[in-house]
């Protein structure tokens, strides 16, 4: 992925199709600003999916570490932890 472009929301509105093309075809996300402040980012769909998968893996690893710690400390039986995790999903 290349360095992101930065554009004010007014320009993105005028050239939305080009902004999407830049994100998808050229793998260049756009940081969208409003009143000079970064407000949002428009990545391509592949980058979005990659980020979602990375976040899910990270959360799964964190939950596994938490469950292992709870079980090793004897604070929560593993069966109860598994039931709690299933109920969250």
């Amino acid at each position: 992925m290349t360095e992101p472009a930065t554009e004010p929301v007014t320009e993105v509105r005028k050239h939305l199709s080009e902004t999407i093309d830049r994100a998808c075809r050229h793998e260049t996300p756009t940081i969208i600003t409003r009143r000079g402040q970064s407000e949002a980012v428009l990545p391509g769909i592949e980058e979005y999916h990659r980020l979602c998968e990375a976040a899910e893996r990270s959360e799964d690893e964190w939950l596994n570490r938490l469950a292992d710690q709870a079980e090793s400390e004897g604070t929560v039986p593993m069966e109860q932890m598994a039931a709690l995790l299933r109920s969250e999903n």
Side-chain angles (χ1 to χ4, degrees), residues 1 3-4 7 10 15 19 23 32 34 37 39 53 58-59 63 73 75 78 80 82 86:
M1 179 181 358
E3 285 295 311
E7 286 190 25
T10 54
H15 308 285
T19 304
I32 302 168
R34 184 181 299 161
Q37 299 294 315
E39 291 283 326
E53 289 170 5
S58 178
E59 183 179 21
L63 288 171
E73 293 173 357
T75 55
M78 191 57 177
Q80 184 181 353
R86 279 194 301 274

Side-chain angles (χ1 to χ4, degrees), residues 1-7 22 27-31 41-42:
M1 179 181 358
T2 59
E3 285 295 311
T6 302
E7 286 190 25
R22 183 173 48 225
E27 296 182 352
T28 303
T30 299
I31 296 172
V41 65
L42 178 70

Side-chain angles (χ1 to χ4, degrees), residues 3 11-12 17 24 33 40 46 49 51 57 71 74 79 85:
E3 285 295 311
E11 289 301 310
V12 172
S17 182
C24 295
T33 63
E46 294 298 322
H49 287 301
L51 291 170
R57 278 192 309 274
E71 184 179 33
E79 295 79 18
L85 293 174

